[in-house]
Amino acid sequence: MKKQFLLSAALLSCAIMARAQKPDTAQLLVHYKFSHIRDTTNREHPFTENMVLIVGKSAGAYKSYDKQLQDALFRKQVQEQMANSADGHINIQRKASGSGTEYYQFPNGKKLARKEPLLFNNYLITDVLPPIDWKISGDTATFGGLHCQKATAHFKGRDYTAWFSPDLPLHIGPWKLNGLPGVIVEAYDTKKEVDFKFDGIEKAVISAKKDDQPTSQAPGNQGRMAVMIGMDEEASDPNIIQMPTKAIKTTEKEFANLQEAMRKDPNAFAQSMAAAQAASQGRPAPKIDIRIGPQPVINNPIELPEKK
């Protein structure tokens, strides 16, 4: 009963959506080869992912570049099939790639936001930007033609070295790293268990017109819209920095409770979520069967407890 009440209370919060943050326009894209040794018993095979930091005039967004590419490819395939299908039937096998977690930094307001996907919904957790006591040294280096300086700090249980560019004055970086007088283009901890390795920088290309829908559709398929399962409803322009307006606002504790409920009984959790959504739309709840494969071993999280 307690578990059902917890799920019901969380589901009722679906009506509470995140308030829109004023969009910012991207100026630069900083690419990283992210590497994290999650399992210390298997150091030869760290988790890796291509990430991107979208740098605007007053805000930044850090997200999976792999997922952006896969989403764009999937959207294109759906549009092409919808344009050529007489009955609206499409058949696409999608390869899951890239994590859905995203970080948004607003240094002027000292605000940090994190978007977390969980089953059918996206959740938004907001907090203050964590202060970091950086020590800036006189060491310099060049990354992609950028003049950079070295800084060190202890943060979230690890000792980090960061390289930042004073020529890019926004005080942001990948993940939760922030607070230096320039964009952090590379960072790693002393054990190289967490590594945000610089992988290039490019100017953002602003599209004159955004058109995510096919220009024409097959006869009998006019007006149909593809429901893209597993993707955000609001297709994001990679050059616009904006927190997801349709994500459900929650707290760190509430989200951890949802994750635990999902872990303990994924089918009950999925059924409760689907039933709540169906009830809000006045339709019967669908029958859902969730199958979750083996989960990765994580005995070395990116955030470590501080030693006492």
Side-chain angles (χ1 to χ4, degrees):
M1 182 64 69
K2 182 178 180 182
K3 179 180 178 182
Q4 291 178 343
F5 175 80
L6 173 64
L7 289 175
S8 299
L11 292 168
L12 287 175
S13 68
C14 290
I16 305 174
M17 298 297 180
R19 292 182 180 179
Q21 183 84 22
K22 185 178 179 180
D24 193 7
T25 303
Q27 307 297 307
L28 294 168
L29 307 180
V30 183
H31 295 271
Y32 305 86
K33 290 282 187 183
F34 174 63
S35 175
H36 177 198
I37 298 176
R38 293 176 168 180
D39 181 5
T40 55
T41 66
N42 189 18
R43 290 180 174 273
E44 295 77 18
H45 298 91
F47 171 81
T48 60
E49 188 168 9
N50 293 302
M51 306 295 292
V52 63
L53 178 64
I54 306 173
V55 182
K57 294 179 180 179
S58 60
Y62 176 72
K63 57 183 69 176
S64 169
Y65 191 63
D66 290 334
K67 186 175 188 301
Q68 281 194 317
L69 293 178
Q70 284 296 321
D71 283 354
L73 176 61
F74 180 67
R75 188 179 295 111
K76 180 180 179 182
Q77 291 174 335
V78 169
Q79 291 171 357
E80 289 176 349
Q81 289 204 25
M82 289 292 290
N84 297 307
S85 173
D87 60 0
H89 178 74
I90 61 176
N91 181 21
I92 296 175
Q93 293 187 5
R94 185 184 184 196
K95 179 182 177 181
S97 177
S99 59
T101 302
E102 299 176 358
Y103 293 88
Y104 298 84
Q105 293 188 20
F106 304 92
N108 292 340
K110 299 187 182 303
K111 182 178 181 181
L112 174 71
R114 184 174 97 247
K115 188 201 82 171
E116 288 279 10
L118 185 63
L119 207 57
F120 311 122
N121 296 315
N122 288 319
Y123 294 86
L124 189 67
I125 303 164
T126 58
D127 203 347
V128 296
L129 268 174
I132 306 176
D133 185 18
W134 293 103
K135 303 294 189 297
I136 299 176
S137 78
D139 295 344
T140 62
T142 301
F143 293 83
L146 290 173
H147 171 74
C148 296
Q149 284 184 258
K150 180 181 178 181
T152 58
H154 183 81
F155 182 63
K156 301 296 184 181
R158 298 181 185 273
D159 293 317
Y160 280 96
T161 294
W163 294 91
F164 69 96
S165 174
D167 296 332
L168 307 177
L170 196 59
H171 300 186
I172 65 171
W175 181 48
K176 298 180 180 181
L177 300 177
N178 74 95
L180 283 167
V183 174
I184 299 171
V185 300
E186 181 161 305
Y188 44 85
D189 74 333
T190 52
K191 296 181 179 180
K192 283 294 186 82
E193 293 179 343
V194 177
D195 190 356
F196 304 90
K197 187 176 182 59
F198 176 77
D199 194 40
I201 187 169
E202 59 179 317
K203 288 185 177 181
V205 179
I206 309 301
S207 302
K209 179 181 178 183
K210 181 169 176 278
D211 184 6
D212 286 326
Q213 297 300 323
T215 55
S216 61
Q217 293 181 330
N221 198 27
Q222 306 295 333
R224 292 179 183 266
M225 291 187 65
V227 178
M228 301 186 186
I229 303 299
M231 287 180 58
D232 294 341
E233 292 180 21
E234 41 192 357
S236 60
D237 184 333
N239 295 305
I240 298 297
I241 302 169
Q242 182 181 25
M243 290 195 302
T245 58
K246 296 183 180 180
I248 302 166
K249 291 188 70 174
T250 188
T251 65
E252 199 74 60
K253 183 177 180 180
E254 289 170 349
F255 185 70
N257 289 337
L258 290 173
Q259 286 182 307
E260 181 63 14
M262 175 72 176
R263 186 191 66 79
K264 286 184 175 179
D265 194 338
N267 275 299
F269 181 81
Q271 201 63 48
S272 297
M273 297 283 280
Q277 286 190 352
S280 67
Q281 298 170 7
R283 56 181 176 81
K287 181 66 177 177
I288 296 179
D289 182 21
I290 298 290
R291 299 176 185 272
I292 298 179
Q295 297 300 294
V297 175
I298 303 178
N299 59 29
N300 184 35
I302 190 170
E303 297 186 24
L304 297 175
E306 295 292 350
K307 296 180 180 180
K308 296 182 179 180

